[in-house]
Amino acid sequence: MLKRILAIIAILIIGYWLAQGLANVPFGQDKMLVGKYYLEHVKDQTGAVNAVTAVVVNYRGFDTLGEVTVLFIASTGVGALLWRKKRKRTAKTEGSVVLTTGSKLLFPFIMLFGMYIFIHGHLTPGGGFPGGATIATAFLLMYMAFTIYEIPHKEFEVTEGFAGMGYVLVGLLGLAIGGYFLFDWIWQTWHLGTSNIGRLFSGGFIPIIYTIIGIKVGTELSGIIDNMLKEEVKE
Amino acid sequence: MSALAGIGEFLVLFGTVFYFLSTLGLIRMPDVYNRMQTATKSATLGSLGVIIGTGIWAIGEGLSIAWLTKTLIIAVFLLLTNPISAHALIRGAYKSGIPLWEGSVVDKYKEHLEKKSQEGGEE
């Protein structure tokens, strides 16, 4: 009881301290320094309508590469922690007919929607990470509805690795063509799609990188689900 | 205000009333199964009204047809998924042994399960 009260008091003090710090930050006023530059130049410098994805992939591409690396390490870490020689799904209770049929029907729709999200990253909200997570949700649904369902493990890991390599390769091509890593060569050297900003074939390398990231995140999270659902089988 | 906007506004109001009834049912109903029934049924219908109503309303206000297309897709998705999730939840609740309301008189599913297990025992 005393511990809880002390914790509540400490949290209240920290909260008051943070609120004091934020009290002088103005709301609704134009205080943008870098943000203004992004908003004014995003269309002619990157070709994307969605400023967030343009910042994430184009202006701050290293961060995204780092995030992808973090996810890859998480997936590898889960795989290493749960590594056993013989592993199987030990679930016994079969889902009801309604559930299995519904999941089977919904699976392609969710996949399609996930792909829609990451292909249209430069036009609509979303991008590679939400799209990939949606695709992983489709696999999770199949895992939850069927006791025997399994993703092709080897192929998924290979796809994941190749997608990660593809990202770095696009960046290295930028290094070769434009002089620095993750240089947007499709937009700034080839001028591909400069006339149709706001349509599907624009946005420089943002759609390509987001397709790669979407595939990578989708396969990665599915792999984590797969790893966590399997249990050790004793001979 | 065009007729389409009027229809849309009516549908949104209709949906919100059903949302309210659904929440009321959630508080008023005696057990999990009754609550689930009110929540699922009226919330699904309410959502359909609100979602499609928004699409029609937007067209009535002179916005593009894309609004209705998107809302229709969301509505169909919701219509397909909501009953399945309710079914899974209810089944899970029954399997984990949550009792029916003491006022309920018939439990055919239990009889069915008992009959099945007896037949299995005789073999």
Side-chain angles (χ1 to χ4, degrees):
Chain A
M1 197 61 202
L2 185 69
K3 217 185 229 172
R4 193 165 289 177
I5 289 168
L6 278 177
I8 288 170
I9 289 170
I11 287 166
L12 280 177
I13 288 170
I14 293 171
Y16 178 74
W17 179 54
L18 285 175
Q20 278 299 310
L22 291 172
N24 293 324
V25 176
F27 274 98
Q29 285 172 34
D30 202 358
K31 285 275 178 191
M32 292 189 294
L33 299 170
V34 189
K36 194 155 214 123
Y37 178 84
Y38 285 150
L39 284 182
E40 278 167 2
H41 295 91
V42 70
K43 269 191 188 169
D44 44 277
Q45 281 186 348
T46 67
V49 184
N50 186 347
V52 176
T53 52
V55 170
V56 166
V57 176
N58 241 312
Y59 294 111
R60 299 266 180 269
F62 269 114
D63 287 3
T64 312
L65 192 60
E67 280 168 32
V68 170
T69 318
V70 165
L71 258 180
F72 178 72
I73 292 169
S75 157
T76 321
V78 169
L81 274 176
L82 299 173
W83 189 82
R84 298 279 184 285
K85 256 201 178 141
K86 287 246 167 188
R87 299 182 64 217
K88 244 190 189 166
R89 296 198 58 199
T90 49
K92 290 282 186 313
T93 324
E94 193 68 61
S96 71
V97 184
V98 179
L99 186 65
T100 49
T101 318
S103 314
K104 229 187 271 175
L105 279 173
L106 277 172
F107 179 74
F109 284 108
I110 300 177
M111 288 290 275
L112 188 71
F113 185 59
M115 288 176 201
Y116 166 81
I117 292 175
F118 67 64
I119 289 170
H120 292 76
H122 55 302
L123 304 172
T124 55
F129 290 94
T134 311
I135 287 176
T137 319
F139 286 110
L140 177 63
L141 187 69
M142 293 306 271
Y143 265 111
M144 293 281 116
F146 295 93
T147 52
I148 43 163
Y149 183 77
E150 255 188 67
I151 56 170
H153 220 280
K154 279 263 159 55
E155 286 83 347
F156 262 55
E157 272 158 14
V158 170
T159 319
E160 183 188 330
F162 269 113
M165 258 163 64
Y167 191 178
V168 179
L169 211 67
V170 170
L172 285 177
L173 270 175
L175 184 68
I177 295 171
Y180 57 92
F181 192 59
L182 290 175
F183 174 79
D184 190 352
W185 40 279
I186 294 177
W187 183 259
Q188 299 198 11
T189 311
W190 292 3
H191 301 291
L192 202 71
T194 23
S195 56
N196 50 359
I197 292 173
R199 301 208 186 89
L200 185 59
F201 291 106
S202 70
F205 68 6
I206 294 175
I208 293 170
I209 283 197
Y210 263 158
T211 307
I212 289 169
I213 293 179
I215 292 167
K216 188 167 164 58
V217 172
T219 46
E220 231 152 41
L221 296 180
S222 313
I224 292 179
I225 292 164
D226 178 83
N227 267 324
M228 289 191 148
L229 279 175
K230 280 183 180 164
E231 284 165 73
E232 193 178 0
V233 190
K234 292 214 173 76
E235 303 273 321
Chain B
M1 193 182 81
S2 64
L4 275 176
I7 295 170
E9 280 172 22
F10 170 74
L11 276 176
V12 171
L13 185 69
F14 179 81
T16 15
V17 169
F18 268 88
Y19 276 149
F20 176 71
L21 290 178
S22 155
T23 324
L24 205 66
L26 213 59
I27 301 167
R28 291 286 298 157
M29 284 297 169
D31 71 344
V32 174
Y33 305 97
N34 282 316
R35 266 185 223 137
M36 199 67 211
Q37 192 228 357
T38 50
T40 312
K41 237 189 241 176
S42 41
T44 311
L45 184 67
S47 312
L48 288 184
V50 170
I51 292 167
I52 295 176
T54 315
I56 296 174
W57 192 351
I59 287 179
E61 296 283 337
L63 298 165
S64 81
I65 193 98
W67 279 77
L68 187 63
T69 324
K70 275 180 192 168
T71 50
L72 273 178
I73 289 170
I74 298 169
V76 168
F77 190 75
L78 204 74
L79 189 67
L80 286 176
T81 49
N82 224 351
I84 298 174
S85 66
H87 166 84
L89 276 172
I90 280 293
R91 211 179 149 89
Y94 195 91
K95 295 247 163 165
S96 47
I98 292 174
L100 271 69
W101 178 44
E102 61 268 21
S104 32
V105 284
V106 171
D107 193 350
K108 288 276 185 196
Y109 187 48
K110 197 178 170 189
E111 287 169 22
H112 170 75
L113 282 182
E114 274 168 2
K115 208 171 154 194
K116 225 170 140 187
S117 66
Q118 271 173 14
E119 276 170 5
E122 279 164 15
E123 278 168 8

